[in-house]
């Protein structure tokens, strides 16, 4: 095996989230927004939405 196909080092996912009220306001009337949110809801499922919705809501002040 080569280094490109196998590694003993762990994989670390580093990313960030930011919510910008100005962007939310800008896209609020966009015709594709409802469809995009519906697709996210289908992908994530109701159990994830029940957990993630309140969690994100509680963190919005820290993400803006």
């Amino acid at each position: 095996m080569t280094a490109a196909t196998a590694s003993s080092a762990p994989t670390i996912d580093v990313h960030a989230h930011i919510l910008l009220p100005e962007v939310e306001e800008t896209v609020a009337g966009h015709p594709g927004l409802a469809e995009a949110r519906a697709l996210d809801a289908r992908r994530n499922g109701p159990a994830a939405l029940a957990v993630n919705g309140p969690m994100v809501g509680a963190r919005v002040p820290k993400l803006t």
Side-chain angles (χ1 to χ4, degrees), residues 36-46 48-49:
R37 288 186 173 160
L39 177 59
D40 282 343
R42 287 193 307 274
R43 285 180 178 162
N44 295 321
L49 293 176

Side-chain angles (χ1 to χ4, degrees), residues 36-64:
R37 288 186 173 160
L39 177 59
D40 282 343
R42 287 193 307 274
R43 285 180 178 162
N44 295 321
L49 293 176
V51 171
N52 291 339
M55 180 180 63
V56 170
R59 288 171 172 77
V60 165
K62 295 178 181 181
L63 297 173
T64 54

Side-chain angles (χ1 to χ4, degrees), residues 1-11:
M1 285 187 200
T2 67
T5 59
S7 173
S8 60
T11 300

Side-chain angles (χ1 to χ4, degrees), residues 8-47:
S8 60
T11 300
I12 300 171
D13 175 11
V14 177
H15 69 277
H17 296 255
I18 184 169
L19 301 176
L20 301 172
E22 296 84 2
V23 173
E24 292 294 316
E25 291 171 13
T26 300
V27 300
H30 192 277
L33 182 60
E35 291 85 356
R37 288 186 173 160
L39 177 59
D40 282 343
R42 287 193 307 274
R43 285 180 178 162
N44 295 321

